[in-house]
């Protein structure tokens, strides 16, 4: 996710199960330069489908394939009745919840959008961890103290992490999305390139409604089907939602006890370690070998300390035997972070390191902690998508990059960049800057 910029990804497609980045984050990151599809019509309604082929080039994303699938949409939905029956959904409810359902083809543009807008990691954190949201978070923690108390006792999950997820996922229930989850998941189950995955989401949404946990009015969310203040996908709801107050329903939308307990249950089942931190900001010494800054290279905190890494406050690590990996999201010029097991758990909730860092930091601030101590290299310019593509192409020409250039800076690109930096005697931090692009152009 890092390499000079954070790219706003798909809402719920960032992982094949569970939660993804919310429309809140997408909209915040795209505010300064929204893509053409983000425009609205003159009457304020969302725009229709563009009618164009999808950017992925997938055969099911051609305009002709989309039109053909849309024409067959009623048959596709009706054809899922046997699967619904196997999930004990009554025929009456199946017909009730699918009556008059039409595909929302605008979703096809969103499914295949190629994000041009980017933010540096420090801008991303500035947006998501701000004074207004912190103030609201403290209000939420006070208002629902009994529910947070009960949840911490039952699940052993830190209340501040839950409050942070609530705040960042939906700005405390004020930005949850307004699309019908049933319509969105039915559209994606019948049209486009992710039909198998979204068929399960659609049928799971019907199961939720059939059981009576939520109403169709409550199940409104993002274009990809995530709903509620902490953005559950329907399949994630099935796995993790609990009845926190014993009223017989699992209402993760309007019932604070259920919402808080369900989010905690999700984290606990994903391996949350009670009483442990998510990670620590650290000062990385000059001349450090950044080839060690890799998620696969976890070592005990005591070993990192031996390599010269220390906390900026000079505090000791409470549990020196805990294993952590080093994250350097802004390269050698920015702060380092040693990430523990709970950071990995947050990434199961949403598989983006930028997101998980924002959640962990927001939780610490809600707890009374201070902002990060070390400065970010705010003078660095974020590379455009065209420049990121050129960077990959130049790395490939020089034998460092084996992947297909796509303009997205992922782990493979960062590894290639590290190798190039090492070959020219620069800090091998994998940070994609305008300077390193110039060095590549000059080679």
């Amino acid at each position: 996710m890092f390499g000079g910029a954070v790219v706003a990804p798909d809402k719920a497609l960032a992982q094949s199960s569970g939660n993804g980045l919310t429309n809140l984050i997408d909209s915040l990151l795209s505010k300064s330069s929204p893509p053409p599809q983000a425009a609205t019509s003159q009457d304020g309604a969302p725009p229709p489908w563009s009618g164009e082929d999808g950017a992925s080039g997938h055969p099911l994303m051609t305009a002709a394939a989309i039109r053909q699938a849309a024409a067959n949409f009623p048959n596709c939905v009706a054809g899922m009745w046997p699967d619904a029956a196997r999930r004990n959904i009554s025929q009456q409810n199946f017909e009730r919840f699918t009556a008059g359902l039409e595909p929302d083809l605008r979703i096809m543009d969103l499914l295949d959008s190629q994000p041009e807008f980017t933010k540096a990691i420090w801008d991303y954190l500035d947006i998501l961890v701000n004074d207004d949201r912190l103030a609201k978070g403290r209000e939420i923690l006070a208002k629902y103290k009994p529910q947070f108390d009960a949840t911490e006792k039952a699940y052993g999950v830190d209340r501040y992490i839950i409050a942070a997820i609530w705040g960042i996922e939906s700005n405390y229930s004020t930005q949850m999305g307004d699309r019908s989850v049933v319509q969105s998941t039915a559209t994606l189950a019948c049209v486009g390139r992710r039909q198998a995955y979204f068929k399960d989401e659609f049928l799971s949404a019907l199961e939720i409604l059939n059981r009576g946990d939520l109403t169709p009015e409550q199940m409104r969310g993002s274009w990809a089907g995530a709903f509620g203040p902490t953005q559950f996908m329907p399949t994630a709801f099935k796995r993790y939602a609990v009845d926190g107050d014993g009223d017989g329903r699992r209402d993760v939308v309007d019932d604070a006890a259920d919402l808080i307990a369900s989010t905690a249950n999700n984290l606990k089942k994903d391996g949350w370690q009670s009483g442990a931190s998510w990670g620590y900001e650290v000062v990385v010494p000059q001349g450090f070998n950044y080839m060690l800054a890799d998620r696969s290279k976890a070592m005990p905190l005591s070993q990192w300390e031996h390599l010269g890494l220390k906390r900026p406050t000079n505090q000791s690590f409470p549990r020196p035997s805990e294993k952590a990996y080093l994250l350097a999201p802004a390269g050698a010029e920015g702060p380092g972070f040693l990430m523990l097991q709970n950071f990995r758990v947050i990434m199961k909730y949403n598989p983006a390191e930028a997101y998980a860092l924002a959640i962990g930091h927001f939780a610490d601030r809600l707890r009374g902690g201070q902002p990060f101590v070390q400065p970010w290299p705010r003078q660095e310019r974020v590379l455009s998508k065209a420049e990121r593509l050129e960077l990959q192409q130049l790395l490939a020409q020089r034998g460092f990059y084996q992947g297909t250039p796509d303009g997205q800076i992922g782990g493979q690109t960062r590894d290639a960049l590290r190798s190039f930096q090492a070959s020219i005697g620069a800090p091998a931090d994998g940070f994609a800057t305008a300077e390193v692009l110039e060095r590549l152009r000059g080679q």
Side-chain angles (χ1 to χ4, degrees), residues 33-34 59 75 88 95 118 126 131 164 192 210 225 229 238 246 287 290 303 364 377 383 388 420 434 437:
S33 53
N75 294 330
N88 298 315
E95 292 173 357
T118 58
D126 288 346
D131 290 343
N210 183 75
K238 281 180 57 183
Y290 278 91
Q303 193 168 342
D364 284 351
L383 296 183
R388 297 194 303 271
F420 169 71
L437 178 58

Side-chain angles (χ1 to χ4, degrees), residues 193-213:
R193 60 182 169 85
R194 295 296 303 277
Q195 293 178 33
Y197 168 64
F198 278 101
K199 179 179 179 181
D200 191 17
E201 296 295 348
F202 171 65
L203 292 168
S204 296
L206 293 182
E207 284 184 86
I208 295 166
L209 294 172
N210 183 75
R211 190 179 183 277
D213 284 309

Side-chain angles (χ1 to χ4, degrees), residues 424-439:
I424 61 172
D429 58 13
F431 188 46
T433 63
E435 181 184 357
V436 78
L437 178 58
E438 284 299 325
R439 294 291 295 271

Side-chain angles (χ1 to χ4, degrees), residues 63-134:
I66 290 169
R67 288 192 182 94
Q68 184 178 3
N72 189 54
F73 182 77
N75 294 330
C76 174
V77 172
M80 287 189 275
W81 158 241
D83 294 301
R86 280 190 285 273
R87 297 184 183 217
N88 298 315
I89 297 168
S90 73
Q91 187 165 6
Q92 180 184 8
N93 276 339
F94 181 83
E95 292 173 357
R96 173 186 164 202
F97 297 130
T98 61
L101 207 56
E102 295 182 354
D104 178 2
L105 295 185
R106 162 70 176 140
I107 290 174
M108 293 301 106
D109 289 328
L110 300 169
L111 176 65
D112 248 16
S113 66
Q114 296 292 309
E116 294 289 343
F117 46 89
T118 58
K119 290 283 184 185
I121 178 65
W122 46 89
D123 290 329
Y124 181 93
L125 291 168
D126 288 346
I127 290 168
L128 294 181
V129 186
N130 59 55
D131 290 343
D132 287 346
R133 194 170 285 126
L134 284 166

